[in-house]
Amino acid sequence: MRGIKILGTGVYTPETKVTNDDLSQFMDTNNEWIESRTGIRSRNYSASVPNHEMAAMAAKAAAEDAGVAPEELDLIIASTCSPEFFYPCMSGLVQNIIGAVNAAVMDINTACTGFISAVDIASRYLEDGDYKKILVVASERLSPHVDFEDRSASILFGDGAAAAVIEKSHKPMYSYLSAKGDPFEALYCYVNKEHNCPYTKENEALNAIMDTEAKKNYLQMDGKGVYKFAVDAMATAVTKTLAKAGLTTDDIDLVIPHQANIRIIQSATKALGINPEKVYVNIYEHANTSSACIPTCLDDLKKEGRLKEGMKICLVGFGAGLTSGAIVFEQ
Ligand code: ACO
């Protein structure tokens, strides 16, 4: 039977805080519109720290919080949809920076569902018994991928990194992962690359989709389409995972959703009939940091002393892919 225990958490929040008013200095927007439509008041951008260094700082903090030396880590799983390198993988770069010399590494990319996917994978390795201590780190530097001429998407995102060190627990955990590949165009970011191989050229079908400079270079989002998907995906993932666990929403002490938009969280919470007081939200100051959202929430809660032994916790994510998933576990 699978089970996880969170030994420690850590975050790295980039230095540059940007409020809605700051954005309105160069974009046709205002604080009232952004806050009322999304809940977001500010976000942080990493002016110059690359994504893998952000990840390493969060990872180091998590290992320290767990009281685990980097050499004791058996595996690092990194989640990112905004890597600076195609290769090596971000987890390998983190391994080197923090000195986790005995850790194997792997990266995953299921966008905003990334932390859920990574913990799901980790739980299976822990159950297998080969690996005892696993670091899961989610880090996103989304600001370079966002089109600041697209006022409906750009206001939503921030940069951030967060990590957790986990080990096996005898208390059961349950998970559910899902994907809906069509339409991928609801949310995507193309990797624009010049070809200089004399035998290859750009693909015509892709060219037909990426027909503007913005589509070639920046994140593209169908806001309303993603919104509808996200409310349904959050409710479905929680329902399916609770059914596997033989639990109801009343049994859950804490729900930690992906922080995409306060209205998505509120609509899904209502549809599920969950007491909103059990649902943790920190989107106000962080915005959407994709896969880093959920572990950032975990870190907030741990630092506030609100992650208590015996609590039943539900993590739920949804994002580009379109992916979604949830995990229910007892801390
Ligand atoms: N400031 C001021 N006005 C704006 C802004 C802005 N930043 N952005 C859009 N508007 C305007 C539009 O131009 C439009 O004006 P019009 O009526 O004159 O044409 C009006 O506001 C309404 O625009 P809508 O797109 O209908 O606004 P909506 O209420 O749908 O909100 C939003 C847009 C916030 C993007 C919403 O659709 C949303 O949150 N969708 C979910 C997207 C999401 O969460 N993505 C995160 C990534 S995916 C993930 O993490 C799962």
Side-chain angles (χ1 to χ4, degrees):
M1 185 179 54
R2 286 187 295 149
I4 53 161
K5 182 168 180 63
I6 296 172
L7 298 177
T9 58
V11 292
Y12 172 75
T13 302
E15 67 285 9
T16 308
K17 181 176 173 167
V18 177
T19 64
N20 295 340
D21 283 337
D22 292 332
L23 292 182
S24 72
Q25 301 302 306
F26 63 91
M27 193 189 290
D28 183 14
T29 189
N30 57 75
N31 179 57
E32 200 282 325
W33 193 97
I34 299 175
E35 196 173 346
S36 64
R37 302 270 175 146
T38 70
I40 298 163
R41 295 195 282 259
S42 64
R43 72 287 294 142
N44 288 69
Y45 296 140
S46 173
S48 57
V49 179
N51 196 18
H52 64 277
E53 285 183 18
M54 291 168 44
M57 284 190 262
K60 198 161 175 284
E64 276 167 17
D65 187 49
V68 170
E71 307 82 46
E72 290 177 75
L73 293 169
D74 300 305
L75 175 65
I76 300 174
I77 307 178
S79 161
T80 190
C81 60
S82 48
E84 258 119 14
F85 293 87
F86 287 134
Y87 40 84
C89 53
M90 190 170 77
S91 44
L93 295 163
V94 170
Q95 191 239 33
N96 180 40
I97 296 172
I98 69 170
V101 289
N102 297 308
V105 295
M106 68 172 77
D107 279 15
I108 59 126
N109 174 2
T110 53
C112 307
T113 313
F115 188 75
I116 303 285
S117 307
V119 172
D120 183 65
I121 294 167
S123 70
R124 295 171 197 273
Y125 276 111
L126 291 169
E127 173 60 14
D128 178 74
D130 229 14
Y131 299 138
K132 309 285 184 227
K133 294 201 167 36
I134 300 182
L135 174 86
V136 176
V137 56
S139 185
E140 307 285 3
R141 190 170 176 226
L142 298 166
S143 50
H145 301 281
V146 165
D147 181 1
F148 282 87
E149 296 195 348
D150 174 357
R151 62 179 179 164
S152 71
S154 57
I155 50 113
L156 296 172
F157 298 96
D159 300 340
V165 176
I166 59 177
E167 69 175 9
K168 182 172 165 53
S169 152
H170 62 278
K171 298 171 192 164
M173 79 160 253
Y174 299 88
S175 58
Y176 164 83
L177 298 177
S178 170
K180 186 174 174 291
D182 181 22
F184 88 85
E185 293 94 335
L187 188 53
Y188 69 88
C189 188
Y190 183 59
V191 179
N192 193 12
K193 205 86 187 88
E194 292 294 324
H195 287 240
N196 75 354
C197 168
Y199 297 97
T200 69
K201 54 182 169 35
E202 288 181 44
N203 179 279
E204 279 176 20
L206 279 176
N207 268 349
I209 299 172
M210 314 307 158
D211 57 356
T212 64
E213 283 306 301
K215 286 182 185 172
K216 275 189 183 150
N217 294 315
Y218 300 114
L219 173 159
Q220 301 294 311
M221 182 185 79
D222 162 15
K224 283 193 199 308
V226 172
Y227 190 103
K228 266 176 72 183
F229 161 78
V231 173
D232 182 57
M234 178 173 158
T236 303
V238 172
T239 304
K240 297 245 187 201
T241 315
L242 287 176
K244 280 188 177 180
L247 299 172
T248 71
T249 49
D250 290 340
D251 299 313
I252 298 296
D253 300 297
L254 193 58
V255 178
I256 305 178
H258 171 52
Q259 309 285 308
N261 181 319
I262 187 77
R263 292 187 298 145
I264 291 173
I265 295 172
Q266 286 167 344
S267 300
T269 300
K270 198 168 166 206
L272 285 160
I274 299 174
N275 176 353
E277 283 174 20
K278 291 183 183 177
V279 181
Y280 185 71
V281 178
N282 72 1
I283 193 172
Y284 317 108
E285 311 297 332
H286 291 279
N288 181 349
T289 56
S290 189
S291 66
C293 285
I294 292 174
T296 301
C297 292
L298 278 170
D299 185 75
D300 282 359
L301 289 158
K302 186 157 187 301
K303 301 280 151 64
E304 288 168 19
R306 289 169 62 190
L307 273 194
K308 302 217 172 67
E309 187 91 23
M311 262 185 153
K312 289 195 177 63
I313 301 170
C314 177
L315 313 178
V316 55
F318 40 87
L322 298 162
T323 57
S324 56
I327 286 173
V328 169
F329 71 103
E330 188 173 327
Q331 172 65 355

